[in-house]
Amino acid sequence: MAKKIVGKIKLQVPAGKANPSPPIGPALGQHGVNIMGFCKEFNARTQAETASGMIIPVIITVYSDRSFTFETRTPPVSILLKQITGMKVSKKPGAGSKEPNKQKVGTVTMAQIEEVAKRKMVDLNAKDLQGAMNMIIGTAKSMGLEISAKQA
């Protein structure tokens, strides 16, 4: 018999840096999940990306017996675009343009957009690579990045 699902928790955690402090501790604690067990398992699974400081989305499924499973996703498109353009990846500094249609903060090429689209394809609901690239272009424009047609 399958375990009964009690809840699903979606978090964005820096790779290899999960700890019991907020937001992880309170989110897991209210479901009675072993917080340190999750932190150790998450840190072990994301150890390879720790050096880059990537933010990793994680979906935690909590069962009625207080056990859990989790799956990691690819980093958000905005984080990948920030990394490509050399902007700061942390939360506030280098967050993008306050007026993206007037003030541009960087340039990204179509080759770089294709690279991001290929990496994110598993998490996007796009039918093909071109559809995924269009989604990435939309995010880049809303961040205030200029799209360059030339190849990198």
Side-chain angles (χ1 to χ4, degrees), residues 14-93:
K17 295 183 181 172
N19 56 32
S21 65
I24 298 169
L28 296 179
Q30 69 184 0
H31 291 287
V33 174
N34 180 355
I35 300 167
M36 283 311 297
F38 167 77
C39 291
K40 287 178 183 176
E41 198 174 329
F42 178 84
N43 290 341
R45 197 181 294 183
T46 59
Q47 193 66 36
E49 296 178 8
T50 302
S52 63
M54 280 291 174
I55 305 287
I56 306 292
V58 60
I59 299 173
I60 307 159
T61 305
V62 182
Y63 299 103
S64 58
D65 62 350
R66 296 186 179 181
S67 63
F68 66 91
T69 58
F70 70 93
E71 59 181 89
T72 57
R73 302 292 174 112
T74 55
V77 172
S78 58
I79 299 292
L80 296 173
L81 289 172
K82 285 179 187 180
Q83 187 182 38
I84 284 174
T85 58
M87 296 166 68
K88 292 181 181 173
V89 179
S90 61
K91 288 190 179 181
K92 286 294 178 185

